[in-house]
Amino acid sequence: MDNYEAIQALHKSLPAFSPYVSASLLPPIALILLTSTFALAFYFSTLPKDTFPLRETAVASIASVLGGFGVVALFCSVGVNV
């Protein structure tokens, strides 16, 4: 029980959590990331088909990463903390 009390005292002495990105910035970040994802998806759909799809792979990968971070920012902005 002594260990639990020590951990509880340590917990009470620590500062409160403060996120790196303010919660008020999450909706604009989500909007920018998801808008650029849709723009890149449109660009990807209009690319000519190459025999070696390096440009297609790069555009699709960037759009996927932006979409992933955009969805996480959108979830966090509406209160679903992931």
Side-chain angles (χ1 to χ4, degrees):
M1 197 65 164
D2 186 37
N3 191 19
Y4 175 75
E5 292 170 354
I7 292 173
Q8 189 176 19
L10 177 64
H11 177 72
K12 289 181 180 178
S13 68
L14 292 174
F17 173 76
S18 63
Y20 293 123
V21 178
S22 173
S24 63
L25 291 177
L26 288 175
I29 290 173
L31 178 69
I32 291 168
L33 291 175
L34 292 176
T35 303
S36 57
T37 299
F38 289 123
L40 284 174
F42 175 75
Y43 175 69
F44 176 78
S45 66
T46 60
L47 282 175
K49 305 300 177 224
D50 296 331
T51 56
F52 189 68
L54 183 63
R55 186 171 39 164
E56 296 172 6
T57 306
V59 170
S61 298
I62 292 171
S64 177
V65 168
L66 290 176
F69 282 111
V71 167
V72 169
L74 182 65
F75 280 175
C76 289
S77 69
V78 296
V80 181
N81 295 320
V82 292

